[in-house]
Amino acid sequence: MMGLLCAASTLACGPQTTATPGGTATSPARTALSSGTALYPRAVRLSHNPDSSKSGSIVVSVTAFPNGNPEAGFYSSHDGSSFTQLSSITDPDFPSGLCCGALYELPAQVGALSPGTLLWAGSVGQNSATVPMVLKVYASSDQGATWSYLSNCAAASSPRSVAGGLWEPSFTIAGDGALVCFYSDETQPNHSQLLNHVRSYDGVHWQALSYLIASNIPQDRPGMAVVTKLPSGTYFMTYELCGPAACTVFYKASADGWDFGDPANVGTKIQTGAGEWFEHAPVNAWSPSTSSTNGTILVVGQMMDDNSGVSPGNGVTLFTNHSSDGSGPWTAVPAPVKVPDAYDNYCPNYASDLLPSVDGKSLLELASDYSGSVCQTYFATGPLS
């Protein structure tokens, strides 16, 4: 995740040529979400508002830098075929550094927050020499049209240069109804980085800070947790394990969305039967399936490797799993957005997002890539069986 620091400070730290690998010339089916810098896409299909007339549309968030000013940008679409700008969040703290936005629709009441409320959270303050980093949470009660500050789900004790950083928030609702905020934490002693989580019963007051993944190897850096509740009731979590494990993608499962087992257990590597695996910035989603009663678990990562090195399917592949908890075999399938020369960098195919159709027959993907020196977010929809 460190590459996003470059994006936040200069906006032009990628390739400086229009002959960018993986550009639009090699992927004609994909469409740019906007013309400016747009990173770390996240998408939801509104489906939990008690008023059904306020459900059905798609909302996308990105970390953007219009005129060099960091903001959370939001776009909306009826069906994923085109998007229009919806709103933005600006904050006087964002110029000190903005990274890694999360977007989540509440499926149930949390305190005064109604079902259908949208939450957005981001890492703030990584460039400040005087102010500690925080994970700021905002809420929208009108489908993303307007936003208001809600709380910080985490805050460091000292500036990043002293205490380390807080990164990559994400949310779920645990089995007891608590809103859980997962995040990557560099501030804990004897760990280069670990995964932490906290919970709240009103979205404002956060409690029960506890380790989620904390390896016994001090150099390990688990991060970028994404948790999906499956129809079976299992909570499926993907994350990268950087450091000695080279950002390989792992998973763990939980029965209640809070307890994922011994934090020292770093989980299970996600790998196909052909010996392919992802590295960096994983995201998962669940889809209905026409071929499995369990549906389909989908996982994407920035890069794909095999035992020979970078795989021929790098940047153009997803993994699918038809088990009820992720324990079954993984299969490689084509990705809707092609970024064939994805590499370890904050932009190309970094933290892509997946949004299956309601019937499970198609998949909308959002992925970033360079257009010249500008990192843009692209979208495309492909078949899903």
Side-chain angles (χ1 to χ4, degrees):
M1 41 79 26
M2 298 303 290
L4 278 179
L5 306 185
C6 175
S9 60
T10 71
L11 306 183
C13 38
Q16 301 298 305
T17 170
T18 55
T20 305
T24 54
T26 59
S27 301
R30 67 187 194 175
T31 303
L33 185 70
S34 66
S35 60
T37 299
L39 315 168
Y40 218 91
R42 290 293 181 264
V44 297
R45 178 179 289 103
L46 304 182
S47 58
H48 297 294
N49 197 296
D51 182 349
S52 60
S53 68
K54 298 178 180 179
S55 293
S57 63
I58 296 168
V59 177
V60 167
S61 70
V62 292
T63 303
F65 301 86
N67 300 313
N69 299 311
E71 67 176 32
F74 299 90
Y75 295 79
S76 64
S77 174
H78 172 67
D79 58 4
S81 61
S82 63
F83 286 86
T84 57
Q85 187 155 13
L86 176 65
S87 62
S88 63
I89 298 173
T90 59
D91 185 300
D93 292 336
F94 286 179
S96 68
L98 178 64
C99 178
C100 328
L103 183 64
Y104 184 70
E105 185 190 24
L106 288 181
Q109 189 87 19
V110 175
L113 302 173
S114 301
T117 298
L118 284 177
L119 301 179
W120 181 90
S123 299
V124 178
Q126 68 260 36
N127 299 326
S128 175
T130 58
V131 179
M133 286 190 69
V134 296
L135 302 180
K136 282 198 165 188
V137 185
Y138 289 77
S140 173
S141 60
D142 54 10
Q143 300 76 58
T146 61
W147 296 85
S148 59
Y149 170 75
L150 183 64
S151 63
N152 294 342
C153 70
S157 59
S158 301
R160 176 173 167 251
S161 60
V162 176
L166 305 174
W167 311 98
E168 304 141 0
S170 63
F171 296 109
T172 199
I173 297 292
D176 69 348
L179 176 65
V180 182
C181 177
F182 306 92
Y183 61 97
S184 309
D185 190 341
E186 294 177 318
T187 72
Q188 301 301 310
N190 304 314
H191 295 277
S192 176
Q193 181 170 282
L194 54 77
L195 281 171
N196 245 331
H197 59 342
V198 290
R199 61 189 174 198
S200 173
Y201 294 91
D202 61 5
V204 177
H205 303 93
W206 297 87
Q207 60 183 278
L209 171 67
S210 57
Y211 290 174
L212 183 65
I213 304 288
S215 172
N216 288 327
I217 301 172
Q219 296 79 21
D220 275 350
R221 292 178 58 84
M224 305 191 78
V226 174
V227 177
T228 299
K229 186 178 182 181
L230 306 176
S232 63
T234 296
Y235 291 79
F236 178 80
M237 176 174 66
T238 53
Y239 47 96
E240 63 180 18
L241 185 62
C242 293
C247 294
T248 296
V249 175
F250 285 73
Y251 85 91
K252 290 184 84 171
S254 169
D256 64 1
W258 178 257
D259 182 1
F260 284 81
D262 180 2
N265 179 350
V266 298
T268 302
K269 179 180 179 180
I270 294 177
Q271 183 168 305
T272 68
E276 303 153 323
W277 66 90
F278 285 131
E279 293 179 353
H280 303 283
V283 172
N284 73 80
W286 180 86
S287 172
S289 172
T290 58
S291 59
S292 171
T293 56
N294 291 324
T296 304
I297 302 171
L298 301 156
V299 172
V300 63
Q302 181 180 30
M303 297 176 61
M304 190 169 89
D305 281 12
D306 57 29
N307 291 326
S308 299
V310 177
S311 167
N314 180 56
V316 299
T317 305
L318 312 175
F319 291 170
T320 62
N321 186 305
H322 293 301
S323 69
S324 62
D325 58 3
S327 62
W330 293 93
T331 302
V333 300
V337 178
K338 313 299 183 186
V339 190
D341 294 308
Y343 63 103
D344 182 11
N345 174 272
Y346 76 88
C347 180
N349 209 36
Y350 188 85
S352 304
D353 203 17
L354 307 172
L355 187 66
S357 62
V358 174
D359 61 9
K361 294 181 179 179
S362 63
L363 176 69
L364 170 67
E365 182 182 14
L366 295 109
S368 55
D369 197 5
Y370 285 113
S371 175
S373 63
V374 179
C375 184
Q376 295 181 302
T377 288
Y378 295 87
F379 65 92
T381 297
L384 185 63
S385 59

